[in-house]
Coordinates of all heavy atoms in Angstrom, one line a residue:
M1 N 114.3 13.0 129.9 CA 113.8 13.7 128.6 C 114.7 13.2 127.4 O 115.9 13.0 127.6 CB 114.0 15.2 128.7 CG 113.6 15.9 127.5 SD 113.9 17.7 127.6 CE 113.3 18.2 129.1
E2 N 114.0 12.8 126.3 CA 114.8 12.2 125.2 C 115.6 13.3 124.5 O 115.3 14.5 124.6 CB 113.9 11.4 124.3 CG 112.7 12.0 123.9 CD 112.7 12.8 122.6 OE1 113.7 12.9 121.9 OE2 111.7 13.5 122.3
H3 N 116.6 12.9 123.7 CA 117.6 13.7 123.1 C 117.0 14.8 122.2 O 117.4 16.0 122.3 CB 118.6 12.9 122.4 CG 119.7 13.6 121.7 ND1 120.7 14.3 122.4 CD2 120.0 13.8 120.4 CE1 121.5 14.9 121.6 NE2 121.1 14.6 120.4
S4 N 116.1 14.4 121.3 CA 115.6 15.4 120.3 C 114.8 16.5 121.0 O 114.8 17.6 120.6 CB 114.7 14.7 119.3 OG 113.5 14.2 119.8
K5 N 114.1 16.2 122.1 CA 113.3 17.2 122.8 C 114.3 18.2 123.5 O 114.1 19.3 123.5 CB 112.4 16.5 123.8 CG 111.6 17.6 124.6 CD 110.2 17.1 124.9 CE 109.4 18.1 125.6 NZ 108.9 19.1 124.8
R6 N 115.4 17.7 124.1 CA 116.4 18.5 124.7 C 117.0 19.5 123.7 O 117.1 20.7 124.0 CB 117.5 17.7 125.3 CG 117.2 17.1 126.7 CD 118.4 16.7 127.4 NE 119.3 15.7 126.6 CZ 119.1 14.4 126.6 NH1 118.2 13.8 127.3 NH2 120.0 13.7 125.8
I7 N 117.3 19.0 122.5 CA 117.8 19.9 121.5 C 116.8 21.0 121.0 O 117.2 22.1 121.0 CB 118.3 19.0 120.3 CG1 119.5 18.2 120.7 CG2 118.6 20.0 119.1 CD1 119.9 17.2 119.6
T8 N 115.6 20.5 120.8 CA 114.6 21.5 120.2 C 114.2 22.5 121.3 O 114.0 23.7 121.0 CB 113.3 20.8 119.7 OG1 112.7 20.0 120.7 CG2 113.6 20.0 118.5
E9 N 114.2 22.1 122.6 CA 114.0 23.1 123.7 C 115.1 24.0 123.8 O 115.0 25.2 124.0 CB 113.7 22.4 125.0 CG 112.3 21.8 125.0 CD 112.0 21.1 126.4 OE1 112.9 20.9 127.2 OE2 110.8 20.7 126.6
F10 N 116.3 23.5 123.7 CA 117.5 24.3 123.9 C 117.6 25.5 122.9 O 117.9 26.6 123.1 CB 118.8 23.5 123.8 CG 120.1 24.3 123.9 CD1 120.6 24.7 125.1 CD2 120.8 24.7 122.7 CE1 121.8 25.4 125.2 CE2 122.0 25.4 122.8 CZ 122.4 25.8 124.0
Y11 N 117.2 25.1 121.6 CA 117.3 26.1 120.5 C 116.0 26.8 120.3 O 115.8 27.7 119.4 CB 117.7 25.4 119.2 CG 119.1 25.0 119.1 CD1 119.5 23.7 119.4 CD2 120.1 26.0 118.8 CE1 120.9 23.4 119.4 CE2 121.4 25.7 118.8 CZ 121.8 24.4 119.1 OH 123.1 24.1 119.1
G12 N 115.0 26.6 121.2 CA 113.8 27.4 121.2 C 112.9 27.1 120.0 O 112.1 27.9 119.6
I13 N 113.0 25.9 119.4 CA 112.1 25.5 118.3 C 111.2 24.4 118.6 O 110.6 23.8 117.7 CB 113.0 25.3 117.1 CG1 113.9 24.1 117.3 CG2 113.7 26.4 116.6 CD1 114.7 23.6 116.2
D14 N 111.0 24.0 119.9 CA 110.2 22.9 120.3 C 108.8 22.9 119.7 O 108.2 21.9 119.3 CB 110.2 22.7 121.8 CG 109.7 21.4 122.2 OD1 110.2 20.4 121.8 OD2 108.7 21.4 123.1
D15 N 108.1 24.1 119.8 CA 106.7 24.2 119.3 C 106.6 24.1 117.8 O 105.4 24.1 117.4 CB 106.0 25.4 119.9 CG 106.8 26.6 120.2 OD1 108.0 26.4 120.6 OD2 106.3 27.7 120.1
L16 N 107.6 24.0 117.1 CA 107.5 23.8 115.6 C 107.2 22.4 115.3 O 106.8 22.1 114.1 CB 108.8 24.2 114.9 CG 109.2 25.7 115.0 CD1 110.6 25.9 114.3 CD2 108.1 26.5 114.4
F17 N 107.3 21.4 116.2 CA 107.1 20.1 115.9 C 105.8 19.5 116.5 O 105.6 19.7 117.8 CB 108.3 19.2 116.5 CG 109.6 19.6 115.8 CD1 110.4 20.6 116.3 CD2 110.0 19.0 114.7 CE1 111.6 21.0 115.7 CE2 111.2 19.3 114.0 CZ 111.9 20.4 114.6
D18 N 104.9 19.0 115.7 CA 103.7 18.4 116.2 C 103.9 17.1 117.0 O 103.3 16.9 118.0 CB 102.7 18.1 115.1 CG 102.3 19.3 114.4 OD1 102.2 20.4 115.0 OD2 102.0 19.3 113.1
E19 N 104.8 16.3 116.5 CA 105.1 15.0 117.1 C 106.6 14.6 117.0 O 107.3 15.1 116.1 CB 104.3 13.9 116.4 CG 102.9 13.9 116.7 CD 102.5 13.3 118.0 OE1 103.3 12.6 118.7 OE2 101.4 13.5 118.4
R20 N 107.1 13.8 117.8 CA 108.4 13.1 117.7 C 108.1 11.6 117.5 O 107.4 11.0 118.3 CB 109.2 13.4 118.9 CG 109.7 14.7 119.0 CD 110.5 14.8 120.4 NE 111.1 16.1 120.5 CZ 110.5 17.3 120.4 NH1 109.2 17.4 120.3 NH2 111.2 18.4 120.6
I21 N 108.7 11.1 116.5 CA 108.6 9.7 116.2 C 109.9 9.0 116.6 O 110.9 9.3 115.9 CB 108.2 9.4 114.8 CG1 107.0 10.2 114.3 CG2 107.9 7.9 114.6 CD1 105.8 10.2 115.1
L22 N 110.0 8.2 117.6 CA 111.3 7.6 118.0 C 111.3 6.1 117.6 O 110.3 5.4 117.8 CB 111.4 7.8 119.5 CG 111.3 9.2 120.0 CD1 111.3 9.2 121.5 CD2 112.4 10.0 119.5
S23 N 112.4 5.7 117.1 CA 112.5 4.3 116.6 C 112.2 3.3 117.7 O 111.6 2.3 117.5 CB 113.9 4.1 116.0 OG 114.9 4.3 116.9
D24 N 112.6 3.6 118.9 CA 112.4 2.6 120.0 C 110.9 2.5 120.3 O 110.5 1.5 120.9 CB 113.3 2.9 121.2 CG 113.1 4.2 121.8 OD1 112.6 5.2 121.1 OD2 113.4 4.4 123.0
E25 N 110.1 3.5 120.0 CA 108.7 3.4 120.2 C 107.9 2.7 119.1 O 106.9 2.1 119.3 CB 108.1 4.8 120.4 CG 108.6 5.5 121.6 CD 108.1 7.0 121.7 OE1 107.4 7.4 120.8 OE2 108.4 7.7 122.7
T26 N 108.5 2.7 117.9 CA 107.8 2.1 116.7 C 108.2 0.7 116.5 O 107.5 0.0 115.9 CB 108.1 2.9 115.5 OG1 109.4 2.8 115.1 CG2 107.6 4.4 115.5
G27 N 109.4 0.4 117.0 CA 110.0 -1.0 116.7 C 110.7 -1.0 115.4 O 111.2 -2.0 115.0
F28 N 110.8 0.1 114.7 CA 111.5 0.2 113.4 C 112.6 1.2 113.5 O 112.5 2.2 114.2 CB 110.6 0.6 112.3 CG 109.3 -0.3 112.1 CD1 108.1 0.2 112.4 CD2 109.5 -1.6 111.6 CE1 107.0 -0.6 112.3 CE2 108.4 -2.3 111.5 CZ 107.1 -1.9 111.8
K29 N 113.7 0.9 112.8 CA 114.8 1.9 112.8 C 114.9 2.6 111.5 O 114.6 2.0 110.4 CB 116.1 1.1 113.1 CG 116.1 0.4 114.4 CD 117.2 0.9 115.3 CE 117.2 0.1 116.6 NZ 116.7 0.9 117.7
K30 N 115.4 3.8 111.5 CA 115.7 4.5 110.3 C 116.9 3.8 109.7 O 117.8 3.3 110.4 CB 116.2 6.0 110.5 CG 115.1 6.9 111.0 CD 115.6 8.3 111.2 CE 116.7 8.4 112.2 NZ 117.2 9.7 112.5
P31 N 116.9 3.6 108.3 CA 116.1 4.2 107.4 C 115.0 3.3 106.8 O 114.6 3.4 105.7 CB 117.0 4.6 106.3 CG 118.0 3.5 106.3 CD 118.2 3.1 107.7
S32 N 114.5 2.4 107.6 CA 113.4 1.5 107.1 C 112.2 2.3 106.7 O 111.8 3.3 107.3 CB 113.0 0.4 108.1 OG 112.2 1.0 109.1
L33 N 111.5 1.8 105.6 CA 110.3 2.5 105.1 C 109.2 2.4 106.2 O 108.4 3.3 106.3 CB 109.9 1.9 103.8 CG 110.8 2.0 102.6 CD1 110.3 1.3 101.4 CD2 111.1 3.5 102.3
E34 N 109.2 1.3 107.0 CA 108.2 1.1 107.9 C 108.1 2.2 109.0 O 107.1 2.5 109.5 CB 108.4 -0.3 108.7 CG 108.1 -1.5 107.7 CD 109.4 -1.9 107.0 OE1 110.5 -1.3 107.2 OE2 109.3 -2.9 106.2
I35 N 109.3 2.8 109.4 CA 109.2 3.8 110.4 C 108.5 5.0 109.9 O 107.8 5.7 110.6 CB 110.6 4.2 111.0 CG1 110.5 5.0 112.3 CG2 111.5 4.9 109.9 CD1 111.7 5.2 113.0
F36 N 108.6 5.3 108.6 CA 107.9 6.4 108.0 C 106.4 6.2 108.0 O 105.6 7.0 108.2 CB 108.5 6.8 106.7 CG 109.9 7.3 106.7 CD1 110.9 6.4 106.3 CD2 110.2 8.5 107.2 CE1 112.3 6.8 106.4 CE2 111.5 9.0 107.3 CZ 112.6 8.1 106.9
D37 N 106.1 4.9 107.6 CA 104.6 4.6 107.5 C 104.1 4.7 109.0 O 102.9 5.1 109.2 CB 104.5 3.2 107.0 CG 104.8 3.0 105.5 OD1 104.7 4.0 104.8 OD2 105.2 1.9 105.1
A38 N 104.8 4.2 110.0 CA 104.3 4.3 111.4 C 104.2 5.7 111.8 O 103.2 6.1 112.5 CB 105.3 3.6 112.3
A39 N 105.1 6.6 111.4 CA 105.0 8.0 111.8 C 103.8 8.7 111.1 O 103.1 9.4 111.8 CB 106.3 8.8 111.3
L40 N 103.5 8.3 109.8 CA 102.4 8.9 109.1 C 101.1 8.5 109.8 O 100.1 9.3 109.9 CB 102.4 8.6 107.7 CG 103.6 9.2 106.8 CD1 103.7 8.5 105.5 CD2 103.4 10.7 106.7
E41 N 101.0 7.2 110.2 CA 99.8 6.7 110.8 C 99.6 7.4 112.2 O 98.5 7.8 112.5 CB 99.9 5.2 111.0 CG 98.7 4.6 111.6 CD 98.8 3.1 111.7 OE1 99.3 2.5 110.7 OE2 98.3 2.6 112.7
K42 N 100.7 7.6 112.9 CA 100.6 8.2 114.3 C 100.1 9.6 114.2 O 99.3 10.0 115.0 CB 102.0 8.2 115.0 CG 101.9 8.8 116.3 CD 103.3 8.7 117.1 CE 103.2 9.3 118.5 NZ 104.4 9.2 119.2
I43 N 100.6 10.4 113.2 CA 100.2 11.8 113.2 C 99.0 12.0 112.2 O 98.4 13.1 112.2 CB 101.4 12.7 112.7 CG1 101.8 12.3 111.3 CG2 102.5 12.6 113.7 CD1 102.8 13.3 110.8
G44 N 98.5 11.0 111.5 CA 97.3 11.1 110.7 C 97.5 12.1 109.5 O 96.6 12.8 109.2
R45 N 98.7 12.0 108.9 CA 98.9 13.0 107.8 C 99.4 12.2 106.6 O 99.8 11.0 106.7 CB 100.1 13.9 108.2 CG 99.8 14.8 109.3 CD 98.9 15.9 108.9 NE 98.8 16.8 110.0 CZ 98.0 17.9 109.9 NH1 97.4 18.2 108.8 NH2 97.9 18.7 111.0
K46 N 99.2 12.8 105.5 CA 99.7 12.3 104.2 C 101.1 12.7 104.0 O 101.6 13.7 104.6 CB 98.9 12.9 103.0 CG 97.5 12.6 103.0 CD 96.8 13.3 101.9 CE 95.3 13.1 102.0 NZ 94.6 14.0 101.0
P47 N 101.9 11.9 103.3 CA 103.3 12.2 103.1 C 103.6 13.6 102.6 O 104.5 14.2 103.0 CB 103.8 11.1 102.1 CG 102.9 10.0 102.3 CD 101.6 10.6 102.6
S48 N 102.7 14.0 101.7 CA 102.9 15.3 101.1 C 102.7 16.5 102.0 O 103.0 17.6 101.7 CB 102.0 15.5 99.9 OG 100.6 15.4 100.4
E49 N 102.2 16.2 103.2 CA 102.0 17.2 104.3 C 103.1 17.3 105.3 O 103.0 18.0 106.3 CB 100.7 16.9 105.0 CG 99.4 16.9 104.2 CD 98.2 16.5 104.9 OE1 98.2 15.4 105.6 OE2 97.2 17.1 104.7
C50 N 104.1 16.5 105.1 CA 105.2 16.4 106.1 C 106.6 16.8 105.5 O 106.8 16.7 104.3 CB 105.3 15.0 106.5 SG 103.8 14.4 107.3
I51 N 107.5 17.2 106.4 CA 108.9 17.4 106.2 C 109.7 16.5 107.2 O 109.4 16.6 108.4 CB 109.3 18.9 106.4 CG1 108.6 19.8 105.4 CG2 110.8 19.0 106.2 CD1 108.9 21.2 105.5
F52 N 110.6 15.8 106.6 CA 111.5 15.0 107.4 C 112.9 15.7 107.5 O 113.5 15.9 106.5 CB 111.6 13.6 106.9 CG 112.6 12.7 107.6 CD1 112.3 12.3 108.9 CD2 113.8 12.3 107.0 CE1 113.2 11.5 109.6 CE2 114.7 11.5 107.7 CZ 114.4 11.1 109.0
V53 N 113.4 15.9 108.7 CA 114.7 16.6 108.9 C 115.6 15.6 109.5 O 115.3 15.0 110.5 CB 114.6 17.8 109.8 CG1 115.9 18.5 110.0 CG2 113.5 18.8 109.4
D54 N 116.8 15.5 108.9 CA 117.8 14.5 109.3 C 119.2 15.0 108.9 O 119.3 15.8 108.0 CB 117.6 13.1 108.8 CG 118.2 12.0 109.6 OD1 119.4 11.8 109.5 OD2 117.4 11.3 110.4
S55 N 120.2 14.5 109.6 CA 121.6 14.9 109.2 C 122.2 13.8 108.4 O 123.4 13.9 108.1 CB 122.4 15.1 110.5 OG 122.4 13.9 111.3
R56 N 121.5 12.8 108.0 CA 122.0 11.7 107.1 C 121.3 11.6 105.8 O 120.1 11.3 105.9 CB 122.1 10.4 107.9 CG 122.9 10.5 109.2 CD 123.0 9.2 109.9 NE 124.0 8.5 109.2 CZ 124.2 7.2 109.4 NH1 123.5 6.5 110.3 NH2 125.2 6.5 108.7
V57 N 122.0 11.7 104.7 CA 121.4 11.6 103.4 C 120.6 10.3 103.2 O 119.5 10.3 102.6 CB 122.4 11.9 102.3 CG1 121.8 11.6 100.9 CG2 122.9 13.3 102.4
K58 N 121.1 9.2 103.6 CA 120.5 7.9 103.4 C 119.1 7.9 104.0 O 118.2 7.3 103.4 CB 121.4 6.7 103.7 CG 121.5 6.5 105.2 CD 122.3 5.2 105.4 CE 122.3 4.8 106.9 NZ 122.9 3.6 107.1
N59 N 118.9 8.4 105.2 CA 117.6 8.5 105.8 C 116.7 9.4 105.0 O 115.5 9.1 104.9 CB 117.8 9.0 107.2 CG 118.5 8.1 108.1 OD1 118.7 6.9 107.8 ND2 119.1 8.6 109.2
L60 N 117.2 10.5 104.5 CA 116.4 11.4 103.7 C 115.9 10.7 102.4 O 114.7 11.0 102.0 CB 117.2 12.7 103.3 CG 117.6 13.5 104.5 CD1 118.5 14.6 104.0 CD2 116.5 14.0 105.3
L61 N 116.7 9.9 101.8 CA 116.3 9.2 100.6 C 115.1 8.3 100.8 O 114.2 8.2 100.0 CB 117.5 8.5 100.0 CG 118.6 9.4 99.5 CD1 119.8 8.6 99.0 CD2 118.2 10.4 98.5
Y62 N 115.1 7.6 101.9 CA 114.0 6.8 102.3 C 112.7 7.6 102.5 O 111.6 7.2 102.1 CB 114.3 5.9 103.5 CG 115.1 4.6 103.2 CD1 116.5 4.7 103.1 CD2 114.4 3.4 103.0 CE1 117.2 3.5 102.8 CE2 115.1 2.3 102.7 CZ 116.5 2.3 102.6 OH 117.2 1.2 102.3
A63 N 112.8 8.7 103.2 CA 111.6 9.6 103.4 C 111.1 10.0 102.0 O 109.8 10.0 101.9 CB 112.1 10.8 104.2
E64 N 111.9 10.4 101.1 CA 111.5 10.8 99.8 C 110.8 9.7 99.1 O 109.9 9.9 98.3 CB 112.6 11.4 99.0 CG 113.1 12.7 99.5 CD 114.3 13.3 98.6 OE1 115.1 12.5 98.0 OE2 114.3 14.5 98.6
E65 N 111.3 8.4 99.3 CA 110.7 7.3 98.7 C 109.2 7.1 99.0 O 108.5 6.6 98.2 CB 111.5 6.0 99.0 CG 111.2 4.8 98.1 CD 112.2 3.7 98.4 OE1 113.4 4.0 98.5 OE2 111.8 2.6 98.3
V66 N 108.8 7.5 100.2 CA 107.5 7.3 100.6 C 106.7 8.6 100.4 O 105.5 8.7 100.7 CB 107.3 6.9 102.1 CG1 107.9 5.5 102.3 CG2 107.9 7.8 103.1
G67 N 107.3 9.7 99.8 CA 106.6 10.9 99.4 C 106.7 12.0 100.4 O 106.0 13.0 100.3
I68 N 107.6 11.9 101.4 CA 107.8 12.9 102.4 C 108.9 13.9 101.9 O 110.0 13.4 101.5 CB 108.2 12.3 103.8 CG1 107.0 11.4 104.3 CG2 108.5 13.4 104.8 CD1 107.4 10.6 105.5
S69 N 108.7 15.2 102.0 CA 109.8 16.1 101.7 C 110.9 16.0 102.7 O 110.6 15.8 103.9 CB 109.2 17.6 101.8 OG 108.2 17.8 100.8
A70 N 112.1 16.0 102.2 CA 113.3 15.8 103.0 C 114.1 17.1 103.1 O 114.3 17.8 102.1 CB 114.1 14.7 102.4
L71 N 114.7 17.3 104.3 CA 115.6 18.4 104.5 C 116.8 18.0 105.2 O 116.7 17.4 106.3 CB 114.8 19.5 105.3 CG 115.4 20.9 105.4 CD1 114.3 21.9 105.7 CD2 116.4 20.9 106.5
L72 N 117.9 18.3 104.7 CA 119.2 17.9 105.3 C 119.6 18.9 106.3 O 119.8 20.1 105.9 CB 120.3 17.7 104.2 CG 121.7 17.3 104.8 CD1 121.8 16.0 105.5 CD2 122.7 17.4 103.6
F73 N 119.9 18.5 107.5 CA 120.5 19.4 108.5 C 122.0 19.0 108.4 O 122.4 18.0 109.0 CB 119.9 19.1 109.9 CG 120.3 20.2 110.9 CD1 119.5 21.2 111.2 CD2 121.6 20.1 111.6 CE1 119.9 22.2 112.1 CE2 122.0 21.1 112.5 CZ 121.1 22.1 112.7
N74 N 122.7 19.8 107.7 CA 124.0 19.4 107.3 C 125.1 19.8 108.3 O 125.4 20.9 108.4 CB 124.4 20.0 105.9 CG 125.5 19.3 105.2 OD1 126.4 18.7 105.9 ND2 125.5 19.4 103.9
R75 N 125.6 18.8 109.0 CA 126.6 19.0 110.1 C 128.0 18.4 109.7 O 128.9 18.6 110.4 CB 126.1 18.4 111.4 CG 124.9 19.1 111.9 CD 124.5 18.5 113.3 NE 124.2 17.1 113.2 CZ 123.8 16.4 114.2 NH1 123.7 16.9 115.4 NH2 123.5 15.1 114.0
S76 N 128.0 17.7 108.5 CA 129.2 17.1 108.1 C 129.5 17.2 106.6 O 130.1 16.3 106.1 CB 129.1 15.6 108.5 OG 128.0 15.0 108.0
D77 N 129.1 18.3 106.0 CA 129.4 18.6 104.6 C 128.9 17.5 103.7 O 129.7 17.1 102.7 CB 130.9 18.9 104.4 CG 131.2 20.2 105.1 OD1 130.4 21.1 105.1 OD2 132.4 20.3 105.6
E78 N 127.8 16.8 104.0 CA 127.3 15.9 103.0 C 126.7 16.6 101.8 O 126.2 17.7 101.9 CB 126.2 15.0 103.7 CG 126.8 14.0 104.7 CD 125.8 12.9 105.1 OE1 125.3 12.2 104.2 OE2 125.5 12.7 106.2
H79 N 126.6 15.8 100.7 CA 125.9 16.4 99.5 C 124.5 15.9 99.4 O 124.3 14.7 99.5 CB 126.7 16.1 98.2 CG 126.0 16.5 97.0 ND1 126.0 17.8 96.6 CD2 125.3 15.9 96.1 CE1 125.2 18.0 95.5 NE2 124.8 16.8 95.2
F80 N 123.6 16.7 99.2 CA 122.2 16.3 99.0 C 121.6 17.3 98.0 O 121.8 18.5 98.0 CB 121.5 16.5 100.3 CG 120.0 16.0 100.3 CD1 119.6 14.8 99.9 CD2 119.0 17.0 100.7 CE1 118.3 14.4 99.9 CE2 117.7 16.6 100.6 CZ 117.3 15.3 100.2
D81 N 120.9 16.7 97.0 CA 120.3 17.5 95.9 C 119.1 18.3 96.4 O 118.6 19.1 95.6 CB 119.9 16.6 94.7 CG 121.2 16.1 94.0 OD1 122.2 16.8 94.1 OD2 121.1 15.0 93.4
G82 N 118.5 18.0 97.6 CA 117.3 18.6 98.0 C 117.6 19.8 99.0 O 118.7 20.3 99.0
M83 N 116.6 20.2 99.7 CA 116.8 21.3 100.7 C 117.8 20.9 101.7 O 117.9 19.8 102.2 CB 115.5 21.5 101.4 CG 114.3 22.0 100.6 SD 112.8 22.4 101.5 CE 112.3 20.8 102.0
T84 N 118.6 21.9 102.0 CA 119.7 21.8 103.0 C 119.8 23.0 103.9 O 119.7 24.1 103.4 CB 121.1 21.6 102.3 OG1 121.0 20.4 101.4 CG2 122.2 21.4 103.3
V85 N 120.0 22.8 105.2 CA 120.3 23.9 106.1 C 121.6 23.5 106.9 O 121.9 22.4 107.0 CB 119.1 24.2 107.1 CG1 117.9 24.6 106.3 CG2 118.8 23.0 108.0
Y86 N 122.2 24.6 107.5 CA 123.4 24.4 108.2 C 123.3 24.9 109.6 O 124.2 24.7 110.4 CB 124.6 25.1 107.5 CG 124.8 24.5 106.1 CD1 124.2 25.1 105.0 CD2 125.7 23.5 105.9 CE1 124.4 24.5 103.8 CE2 125.9 23.0 104.7 CZ 125.3 23.5 103.6 OH 125.5 23.0 102.3
S87 N 122.1 25.4 110.0 CA 121.9 25.9 111.4 C 120.4 25.8 111.7 O 119.6 25.7 110.9 CB 122.4 27.3 111.5 OG 121.5 28.2 110.7
F88 N 120.2 25.9 113.0 CA 118.8 25.9 113.5 C 118.1 27.2 113.0 O 116.9 27.1 112.8 CB 118.7 25.7 115.0 CG 118.8 24.3 115.4 CD1 120.1 23.8 116.0 CD2 117.9 23.4 115.3 CE1 120.3 22.5 116.3 CE2 118.0 22.1 115.6 CZ 119.2 21.6 116.1
K89 N 118.8 28.3 112.9 CA 118.2 29.4 112.4 C 117.7 29.2 111.0 O 116.5 29.7 110.6 CB 119.2 30.6 112.4 CG 118.5 32.0 111.9 CD 119.5 33.1 111.7 CE 118.8 34.3 111.2 NZ 117.8 34.2 110.2
E90 N 118.5 28.6 110.1 CA 118.0 28.3 108.7 C 116.8 27.4 108.7 O 115.9 27.6 108.0 CB 119.1 27.7 107.9 CG 120.2 28.7 107.5 CD 121.3 27.9 106.7 OE1 122.0 27.1 107.3 OE2 121.4 28.2 105.5
L91 N 116.9 26.4 109.7 CA 115.7 25.5 109.8 C 114.5 26.2 110.1 O 113.4 26.1 109.5 CB 116.1 24.4 110.8 CG 115.0 23.3 111.0 CD1 114.6 22.6 109.8 CD2 115.4 22.4 112.2
F92 N 114.6 27.1 111.1 CA 113.5 27.9 111.6 C 112.9 28.8 110.4 O 111.7 28.9 110.3 CB 113.8 28.8 112.8 CG 112.7 29.6 113.3 CD1 111.7 29.0 114.1 CD2 112.6 30.9 113.0 CE1 110.7 29.8 114.6 CE2 111.6 31.7 113.5 CZ 110.6 31.1 114.3
D93 N 113.8 29.3 109.6 CA 113.4 30.2 108.5 C 112.5 29.4 107.5 O 111.6 29.9 106.9 CB 114.6 30.8 107.8 CG 115.2 31.9 108.6 OD1 114.6 32.3 109.6 OD2 116.4 32.2 108.3
I94 N 112.8 28.1 107.4 CA 112.1 27.3 106.4 C 110.8 26.7 107.0 O 109.7 26.8 106.3 CB 113.0 26.1 105.9 CG1 114.1 26.6 105.1 CG2 112.1 25.1 105.2 CD1 115.1 25.6 104.6
I95 N 110.8 26.2 108.2 CA 109.6 25.6 108.8 C 108.9 26.4 109.8 O 107.8 26.0 110.2 CB 110.0 24.1 109.3 CG1 110.8 24.3 110.6 CG2 110.5 23.2 108.3 CD1 111.0 23.0 111.3
G96 N 109.5 27.5 110.1 CA 108.9 28.3 111.2 C 107.8 29.2 110.6 O 106.8 29.5 110.9

């Protein structure tokens, strides 16, 4: 089982996610714009219908560049002008 699935199952938030887009499956790595395009194509959604959650600001900025809402899961006191959460409970409150 891949890492992100283990985490979401552990915290009981697995069913909040429609899909997981993994860089090794797309051939693109974050923060390339192509991985976001591949993700949007895979799920058949417009950027405005999605939220990208990450713990690195530079990845969030690329998501915003393609029109995807970005949410910082802040584990290392990074500064981000957008939405920020510090726990899975806060994440659940926003996307749940």
